[in-house]
Amino acid sequence: MEKKEIDKIPLIDVHAHLDELSDLSESLQEAKTAGVRGIIAVGMDVESNRKVLQIAEENPGYVYPALGYHPWRIKEEEVEANLSFIREHVREGMALGEIGLDYKIKVKKELQWRVFGEILDIALEFNKPVIVHCRFSHRRAFEMVREKRIERAVFHWYSGPVDLLDKILPMGYFISATPALIYSPPHQEAIRRTPIERILLETDTPVSYQGREARPKDVRVSLEEVAKLKRLEPSLIAMQTTANASELFQIRFREN
Ligand SMILES: [Zn+2]
């Protein structure tokens, strides 16, 4: 397939912190030029959720908002305000995220479990997919999602135990691939183990990979790395992962 034809295949960045960008309009323009047809903008707390909703409103049919409360942002005295904001605006979001568990931070596990559990309840009540962050907490995070009988979930930038994928994937849950595939063996191992029907592409913008801050256009890097690992044509991976994103978020992304 010619490079030009590959550029026509829509790509979706399913995880970007657009609210953190000072060069937002330029980044969105570059993403469009690079063939990115949709971006899921994830929120971290009240302030970031507000911005995410606004960015989505300003970019209809291109940026889709997810409301979240990231474990890094959890403070006991702010939990109620964050949960009420999410409850109030849940209908405006395509998904709930970024949420999850992170055992490498100081926030008490019990508090993280409570917050994560409550947001999973909201997801269940409003039938929203969840975008899950986990670090040293993959088994517990998966168990919580499964026990709540959440139907749609993505375990973002999955670098957890590969044997756990044998439980995650049969549930119909997805994992997402980042540009860290260039250098991260655990992430590579997870992508190798996962069929392309369960893989999504993302950038986690503005995370730095090898010293360079990502932007949504770099979802092409994720695409190319997945294609290399799977020994398949990038165009095939692009079509499949975009179809997967449509399935998870129940969005029909624009053709151009
Ligand atoms: Zn993130």
Side-chain angles (χ1 to χ4, degrees), residues 15-17 20 42-44 70 72 97-98 131 133 156-157 202-207:
H15 191 119
H17 297 268
E20 294 178 17
V42 294
M44 304 266 282
H70 198 292
W72 298 351
E98 182 168 357
I131 300 165
H133 164 105
H156 117 87
W157 193 340
E202 59 144 312
T203 59
D204 207 7
T205 289
V207 163

Side-chain angles (χ1 to χ4, degrees), residues 122-157:
I122 301 172
L124 206 61
E125 187 183 340
F126 293 89
N127 187 28
K128 299 286 180 184
V130 295
I131 300 165
V132 183
H133 164 105
C134 20
R135 205 160 48 142
F136 299 106
S137 56
H138 291 80
R139 285 181 205 280
R140 181 66 186 248
F142 164 69
E143 287 304 336
M144 287 182 69
V145 170
R146 190 184 58 86
E147 278 165 17
K148 295 277 185 189
R149 300 181 188 278
I150 297 287
E151 285 181 11
R152 293 180 288 146
V154 51
F155 291 83
H156 117 87
W157 193 340

Side-chain angles (χ1 to χ4, degrees), residues 50-100:
R50 255 190 238 286
K51 284 187 195 159
V52 159
L53 286 172
Q54 196 191 335
I55 295 168
E57 204 178 298
E58 289 164 358
N59 297 277
Y62 195 64
V63 174
Y64 300 89
L67 303 179
Y69 191 21
H70 198 292
W72 298 351
R73 297 286 171 87
I74 296 174
K75 288 197 188 103
E76 192 129 36
E77 66 279 13
E78 292 174 1
V79 166
E80 281 324 307
N82 272 279
L83 295 179
S84 348
F85 184 91
I86 291 173
R87 275 191 211 102
E88 234 167 86
H89 295 272
V90 58
R91 287 186 183 81
E92 298 157 56
M94 304 307 303
L96 290 168
E98 182 168 357
I99 55 174

